[in-house]
Amino acid sequence: MGKDKIRRFAEIETFSNVLQLDEGKPCKGEWSKGFFKNDNPVVLELACGKGEYTVNLAVLFPDKNFIGIDYKGNRIWRGAKTALEDGVNNVAFLRIQIENLTDYFAPGEVDEIWITFPDPQPQLSREKKRLTSPRFLNKYIELLKSGGCVNLKTDNDGLYVYTADKIQELKLKEHINTANLYHSEYADEVLSIKTYYEKKYLKDNKNINYLKFSFQ
C-alpha cells in the first residue's frame, strides 16, 4: 500500500462523517435521528467512489441526509474531507461491502438510491455482482420506502441495457429512460452533476445513460 493510501486510511479514522464496517451497524433504523440528529429523508449513493455525487447532492438538498457507500477508504477520504472542509453537515460516508446493506439500514429507512458509474461487471459469470442484478434489487426493495426510486447513471451501454431489461422483466415502474442524457430533456441541475470519471467519459465523447425506476 502506497504512502498516500496509508495516510488517507489513518486520516479517515479521525473523520466524524465516516463510519467503517461494524461502526455503522448501531445506526440501523436510526440514521436520521441518531446520526444526523434530524427527521430528514435518507438518500444513499452506492459505490460512491470519491463521493462527488454524494457531496453535491447534499449541497443541493440541505433538507435531506446523504450517505455515500463504498469499500475503498482511500476514495471515500476525498468526499469526506471535502464535506468537512466545506461544512456540509448532511453528508456521511459508510465503508462497507454493498452486499451487506441490510445489516446497516432498516426496512423502509431509505428514501432514494443513486448508483453512479459503477463497475459494470461485463462478464456473464459476474452478473450477480452488478448493482442492478436481482440479487441487489431485492435488497433495495427491502430498504426503500414505498415509492422510493433507484437512479442509475452509467457510460456502459451493456449495463444500461441489462438494467432496462430487468425493469421490464420484473415489471418494475420505469420513470425515466434515456440513452443520451445530455441530449435529452432530463439533464437538470441534479443529473448534470459530474464525477471525475464522468468528465473523462464525456471527453471521449461517450454517451451517458440514465434510468430512474421504482418497485411500485
Side-chain angles (χ1 to χ4, degrees):
M1 187 182 293
K3 289 183 179 179
D4 277 348
K5 284 188 177 180
I6 292 172
R7 175 180 60 81
R8 289 173 182 175
F9 269 106
E11 194 170 353
I12 63 172
E13 289 279 357
T14 70
F15 287 175
S16 60
N17 61 354
V18 176
L19 295 174
Q20 302 192 65
L21 305 176
D22 287 349
E23 288 180 338
K25 287 184 176 179
C27 294
K28 182 176 181 177
E30 296 291 333
W31 280 100
S32 288
K33 290 185 178 179
F35 185 84
F36 291 103
K37 310 301 181 187
N38 59 47
D39 294 314
N40 295 338
V42 172
V43 180
L44 308 183
E45 184 193 1
L46 307 181
C48 69
K50 296 181 180 182
E52 300 108 316
Y53 228 95
T54 305
V55 174
N56 278 283
L57 284 171
V59 170
L60 287 175
F61 300 100
D63 56 345
K64 296 182 180 181
N65 301 319
F66 292 87
I67 303 172
I69 298 175
D70 207 297
Y71 192 67
K72 296 188 176 180
N74 66 303
R75 290 184 181 175
I76 283 176
W77 170 87
R78 179 63 272 166
K81 189 174 180 67
T82 297
L84 289 173
E85 290 176 344
D86 293 350
V88 185
N89 298 318
N90 60 321
V91 62
F93 290 90
L94 181 60
R95 191 176 79 83
I96 62 167
Q97 297 282 8
I98 294 171
E99 53 259 41
N100 297 327
L101 272 178
T102 53
D103 293 335
Y104 295 84
F105 297 91
E109 186 172 14
V110 177
D111 284 71
E112 190 172 15
I113 291 173
W114 284 84
I115 306 170
T116 56
F117 303 95
D119 185 335
Q121 307 288 354
Q123 303 92 335
L124 186 59
S125 62
R126 298 178 68 84
E127 178 189 354
K128 289 184 178 180
K129 292 185 175 293
R130 296 172 190 166
L131 292 184
T132 53
S133 70
R135 174 192 178 204
F136 284 99
L137 293 176
N138 286 332
K139 296 179 188 293
Y140 308 156
I141 291 171
E142 182 177 344
L143 300 182
L144 281 168
K145 290 183 178 177
S146 177
C149 291
V150 178
N151 303 271
L152 172 70
K153 279 182 79 176
T154 179
D155 68 301
N156 187 274
D157 294 337
L159 180 62
Y160 161 69
V161 170
Y162 171 84
T163 305
D165 286 347
K166 289 301 173 190
I167 290 171
Q168 296 301 315
E169 178 185 324
L170 299 172
K171 296 180 170 56
L172 307 182
K173 185 174 182 179
E174 183 180 275
H175 298 274
I176 299 176
N177 180 338
T178 176
N180 203 335
L181 175 61
Y182 296 114
H183 289 83
S184 76
E185 61 187 293
Y186 306 112
D188 59 10
E189 186 178 25
V190 174
L191 292 176
S192 294
I193 296 171
K194 296 178 179 65
T195 67
Y196 168 80
Y197 289 107
E198 183 177 0
K199 291 174 184 176
K200 289 182 65 175
Y201 302 145
L202 290 170
K203 282 184 179 179
D204 293 335
N205 293 316
K206 298 189 77 173
N207 61 296
I208 303 300
N209 306 285
Y210 174 66
L211 286 164
K212 182 175 184 176
F213 61 95
S214 61
F215 300 95
Q216 295 178 348

